[in-house]
Amino acid sequence: MILHPTYDINDQGHLTIGGLDSVLLAGEFGTPAYFLDTDAVRNMCRLYKRCFAKYFGENSIPVYAGKALCYKGLYSLIAEEGLCADCVSSGELYTANAAGFPMDKVFFHGNNKTDSDLRYALEVGVGHIVVDGIDELLALDGIAGEMGKNPTILLRITPGIDPHTHQKIVTGNVDSKFGMAILTGQAFEFVKAALECNNLTLDGFHCHVGSQIFDIDPFTEACDIMLAFVAKVKGLYGYEAKILNIGGGFGVRYTEDDPQIDYEANIRALGEEIDKMCAEYKIDKPMLLMEPGRSIVAAAGATLYTCGTVKSVTGFRNYVSVDGGMPDNPRYTLYQSKYTILNATRANAPADFPCTVSGRCCESGDLLAEGISMATPKRGDIIATLVTGAYNYSMASNYNRIPRAPIIEISGGVAKVAVRRETFADVASLDI
Ligand SMILES: *Cc1c(COP(=O)(O)O)cnc(C)c1O
């Protein structure tokens, strides 16, 4: 096993993904390509479902955050596993709906839903709209009135904490484009305004503190602030929240330097803290929801590339160029995110070739990793990036008119195409 149960090395010294030989997979499906071990995804769904029911309460259901990875087949899987889903755009709603996902189990997010997004959400019968601010609240109330609907809503609240993670993925602090802050008092005005709306039913509150979080402290802090808020709102307006959705954010191990995370132990500890807080604030425990995205899909994915040019810049460094890059994985370029990258063809050979892994775009910043080592690669070797199930395909682009890579699902030792490779004709298909 390398990092996660999905990855291993076989007798040929090749990396395996979901038990299948990566060199053979690359030959069959071409490169670059994303592979997803759907058995591992299902295991994570089941772990969350079981742990939430056990430690958060019988009625607590995990809400899968589709922005991590979104395509029809995955929504079908999430529906089969009985999870709810969180969508952040009409495009994600459309995909969920097209996959037959039960729309009453969808939470619709976004800091700037347009009127047409709101209309579309009401048309398809989204279960909960998470309203981000007063502007949107009044717009939704008006649109719901026109359409003769009475949508159920949550209010996005900003608890104002710093989860000690990467600045660009911190969203729970006060100065944020998301939600309404408790600290400034605006969250209370928000609740009052929601209770005064004629066409909306307020079901509770939502917050999200950030991503790639490895311990429960930011979640405990967020729950403390949010449950105190629930209690204060009860005192002020006599309104008691039925749902408290505390967002996503559990971390994933990308490299050996990241800690192992015991999800069950974390959920148990958080559940115990929440029970104590509800008793302290003298409120009934709301239905508690969490929205894991990354931690459900990341460790089930891998991307395979073919090695092209290997170049040593004398006196500087070695560049290993692969046939993908920022179009399929922009995360190093965006956040300097660290990945485990290895020579899948020679996975047993010592990783003694120091290198920078570069993509194929006309952009010096198009890199996948710097300062790593792998077994000395030769043109034609298969290079793998591990833990790419989240925020890779969903963030992919056609930069340099490079067709998007396909998604190949692996289950029970069988691989099948779930999203086909884009063609050059696909890329040019919208040009008039
Ligand atoms: C991004 C996001 C999530 C998922 O976060 P992960 O880190 O992928 O678990 C959940 N809820 C909201 C509102 C988000 O913005």
Side-chain angles (χ1 to χ4, degrees):
M1 178 174 104
I2 311 173
L3 290 177
H4 297 286
T6 288
Y7 323 110
D8 212 336
I9 300 174
N10 66 14
D11 295 342
Q12 283 77 48
H14 296 166
L15 171 76
T16 60
I17 305 168
L20 298 180
D21 184 308
S22 59
V23 176
L24 297 180
L25 287 171
E28 184 176 355
F29 297 100
T31 59
Y34 303 103
F35 295 85
L36 188 73
D37 174 355
T38 54
D39 298 333
V41 175
R42 286 184 196 275
N43 285 343
M44 279 309 294
C45 291
R46 289 169 197 177
L47 181 138
Y48 272 122
K49 210 174 164 199
R50 177 175 60 77
C51 292
F52 282 12
K54 191 164 169 195
Y55 304 113
F56 287 170
E58 282 291 297
N59 58 2
S60 175
I61 303 175
V63 181
Y64 170 66
K67 75 178 203 249
L69 180 64
C70 172
Y71 62 92
K72 285 198 264 179
L74 189 63
Y75 278 120
S76 303
L77 182 158
I78 295 294
E80 280 168 21
E81 294 299 325
L83 270 60
C84 293
D86 130 8
C87 294
V88 298
S89 71
S90 291
E92 288 188 7
L93 285 181
Y94 176 89
T95 308
N97 200 31
F101 195 90
M103 296 311 280
D104 59 326
K105 292 177 84 171
V106 169
F107 291 76
F108 187 33
H109 288 281
N111 71 300
N112 183 24
K113 302 174 199 74
T114 63
D115 287 1
S116 77
D117 288 330
L118 295 172
R119 272 197 195 93
Y120 184 58
L122 296 187
E123 266 164 31
V124 297
V126 161
H128 285 88
I129 297 179
V130 183
V131 180
D132 196 88
I134 291 187
D135 225 54
E136 184 178 298
L137 182 78
L138 300 180
L140 179 62
D141 192 37
I143 291 167
E146 270 168 38
M147 293 175 70
K149 307 249 182 190
N150 191 323
T152 308
I153 62 167
L154 299 182
L155 302 183
R156 171 94 181 229
I157 304 298
T158 317
I161 62 165
D162 173 6
H164 313 294
T165 181
H166 198 292
Q167 246 349 87
K168 281 183 191 161
I169 43 179
V170 172
T171 51
N173 51 356
V174 174
D175 180 9
S176 167
K177 73 169 187 171
F178 294 101
M180 300 288 272
I182 297 173
L183 228 66
T184 62
Q186 286 164 299
F188 296 97
E189 291 163 31
F190 194 20
V191 177
K192 186 161 180 283
L195 292 170
E196 283 166 3
C197 287
N198 290 323
N199 306 305
L200 308 178
T201 303
L202 180 61
D203 239 9
F205 306 120
H206 173 273
C207 69
H208 173 75
V209 289
S211 211
Q212 192 59 352
I213 298 170
F214 284 99
D215 58 76
I216 62 163
D217 296 352
F219 295 119
T220 318
E221 241 179 282
C223 286
D224 192 22
I225 294 167
M226 292 301 292
L227 290 167
F229 177 73
V230 167
K232 195 153 178 208
V233 163
K234 184 182 169 193
L236 280 173
Y237 309 121
Y239 170 79
E240 197 157 3
K242 275 196 285 186
I243 293 179
L244 177 61
N245 182 336
I246 58 170
F250 269 125
V252 172
R253 192 163 188 239
Y254 282 91
T255 71
E256 305 254 313
D257 295 336
D258 289 329
Q260 299 266 17
I261 177 162
D262 180 341
Y263 295 97
E264 175 152 10
N266 278 282
I267 295 162
R268 187 198 313 122
L270 186 56
E272 285 167 7
E273 292 296 324
I274 289 166
D275 287 343
K276 278 189 235 158
M277 291 170 195
C278 289
E280 184 189 331
Y281 294 125
K282 299 190 175 58
I283 50 173
D284 291 336
K285 183 159 132 187
M287 176 180 179
L288 199 77
L289 300 177
M290 257 187 120
E291 302 173 320
R294 183 192 307 272
S295 53
I296 289 186
V297 289
T303 307
L304 295 182
Y305 304 100
T306 301
C307 178
T309 298
V310 180
K311 185 186 288 182
S312 293
V313 182
T314 308
F316 293 89
R317 56 174 148 174
N318 302 319
Y319 284 92
V320 174
S321 292
V322 297
D323 57 352
M326 62 185 279
D328 60 82
N329 183 1
R331 295 190 69 251
Y332 186 78
T333 306
L334 275 174
Y335 316 115
Q336 290 74 55
S337 304
K338 294 212 171 17
Y339 281 94
T340 299
I341 302 185
L342 56 113
N343 186 338
T345 307
R346 304 166 205 278
N348 268 337
D352 54 7
F353 186 74
C355 59
T356 287
V357 181
S358 57
R360 60 181 299 189
C361 290
C362 283
E363 185 83 36
S364 302
D366 170 26
L367 303 176
L368 292 171
E370 291 176 278
I372 66 153
S373 289
M374 66 170 78
T376 307
K378 289 204 179 64
R379 192 178 181 88
D381 279 359
I382 302 305
I383 307 291
T385 307
L386 308 185
V387 198
T388 57
Y391 304 110
N392 271 235
Y393 175 75
S394 67
M395 294 181 109
S397 77
N398 286 123
Y399 185 48
N400 288 181
R401 292 243 137 174
I402 292 172
R404 255 173 272 240
I407 300 177
I408 317 299
E409 291 182 347
I410 299 174
S411 172
V414 178
K416 70 167 208 298
V417 176
V419 177
R420 71 160 170 82
R421 184 183 299 283
E422 268 181 352
T423 62
F424 297 122
D426 287 331
V427 175
S429 65
L430 305 178
D431 304 2
I432 290 166

